[in-house]
């Protein structure tokens, strides 16, 4: 069990590192383009590719992080109005279904990445193999599926509470002051 906790903490730190630096890279590239265009008369040829890579990495690696923290997009109108028992059942069923969908997407995106790798395509400016850009897609889908399975398991294990993420209680069961502290409004 300690091994799994250490692995989970390591994955969390890696996700935070990757997401942080991807956002920083996006900001640097977006800021550098008009500055270099104004000062030098041209833009950096690799800026668009670096931005595209960073957006792809942040988007797909962010799936797992959002699922862990309970910050994923949810359509919760009926869920929020439901009594505790219905929300408890939904908090087990929805993550299970989401995990299955993410694992299927991980499988098909892996096939796509392998197809791109076999084609030998490279990016225009950096001449980087295209599969490196796209390999974060199946990784993100897979890690997201694992996190949603963990969300399901947390809700199966804890009979008294409903969790929207492995680290986030359902805000419907919180006092108003605690909801404000977590940022769920």
């Amino acid at each position: 069990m300690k091994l799994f906790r250490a692995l989970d903490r390591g994955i969390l730190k890696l996700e935070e590192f990757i997401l942080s630096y991807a956002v920083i890279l996006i900001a640097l590239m977006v800021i550098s383009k008009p500055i270099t265009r104004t000062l030098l008369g041209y833009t950096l040829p690799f800026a668009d590719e670096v931005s595209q890579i960073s957006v792809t990495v942040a988007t797909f690696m962010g799936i797992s992080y959002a699922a862990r923290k309970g910050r994923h997009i949810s359509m919760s109108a009926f869920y929020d109005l439901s009594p505790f028992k219905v929300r408890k059942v939904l908090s087990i069923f929805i993550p299970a279904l989401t995990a299955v969908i993410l694992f299927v997407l991980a499988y098909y995106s892996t096939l796509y990445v392998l197809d791109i790798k076999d084609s030998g395509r490279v990016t225009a400016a950096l001449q980087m193999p295209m599969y490196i850009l796209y390999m974060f897609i199946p990784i993100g889908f897979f890690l997201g599926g694992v996190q949603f399975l963990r969300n399901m398991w947390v809700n199966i294990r804890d009979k008294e509470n409903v969790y929207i993420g492995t680290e986030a209680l359902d805000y419907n069961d919180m006092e108003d002051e605690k909801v404000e502290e977590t940022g769920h409004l």
Side-chain angles (χ1 to χ4, degrees):
M1 201 55 125
K2 286 184 180 183
L3 175 67
F4 286 124
R5 283 194 194 108
L7 180 63
D8 184 49
R9 279 192 300 272
I11 290 172
L12 174 62
K13 293 298 178 195
L14 181 63
E15 287 170 347
E16 290 173 343
F17 175 82
I18 289 171
L19 291 172
S20 299
Y21 282 98
V23 171
I24 290 170
L25 267 174
I26 293 166
L28 287 174
M29 292 300 113
V30 168
I31 291 168
S32 70
K33 283 186 72 165
I35 291 173
T36 57
R37 187 180 318 116
T38 302
L39 296 177
L40 304 174
Y42 70 92
T43 60
L44 301 170
F46 59 85
D48 287 332
E49 285 182 11
V50 172
S51 295
Q52 180 186 10
I53 292 166
S54 299
V55 167
T56 302
V57 169
T59 300
F60 290 98
M61 294 301 288
I63 294 171
S64 174
Y65 187 79
R68 175 192 303 268
K69 300 291 184 177
R71 301 289 188 173
H72 46 80
I73 295 173
S74 60
M75 306 299 176
S76 62
F78 294 115
Y79 175 86
D80 290 342
L81 297 173
S82 300
F84 176 81
K85 288 184 180 182
V86 173
R87 282 188 289 120
K88 189 65 174 176
V89 169
L90 289 174
S91 71
I92 294 168
F93 174 73
I94 292 170
L97 180 63
T98 304
V100 168
I101 291 168
L102 288 174
F103 287 136
V104 168
L105 288 172
Y107 171 75
Y108 284 111
S109 61
T110 299
L111 295 178
Y112 181 68
V113 170
L114 293 173
D115 188 46
I116 289 175
K117 184 177 187 286
D118 291 342
S119 75
R121 289 177 36 199
V122 295
T123 61
L126 296 174
Q127 294 297 302
M128 181 179 80
M130 287 291 281
Y131 76 90
I132 293 174
L133 163 64
Y134 292 122
M135 75 180 190
F136 291 99
I137 297 171
I139 293 170
F141 282 144
F142 178 78
L143 290 175
V146 169
Q147 284 303 324
F148 276 104
L149 283 180
R150 290 183 68 220
N151 293 355
M152 179 193 71
W153 177 247
V154 166
N155 281 299
I156 290 171
R157 197 180 68 218
D158 186 347
K159 306 288 186 218
E160 303 297 318
N161 296 301
V162 175
Y163 289 85
I164 58 174
T166 54
E167 300 177 6
L169 278 171
D170 183 1
Y171 48 87
N172 289 308
D173 297 330
M174 294 181 177
E175 304 285 328
D176 288 339
E177 302 84 38
K178 287 186 179 181
V179 170
E180 289 176 13
E181 289 173 14
T182 63
H184 290 289
L185 292 178

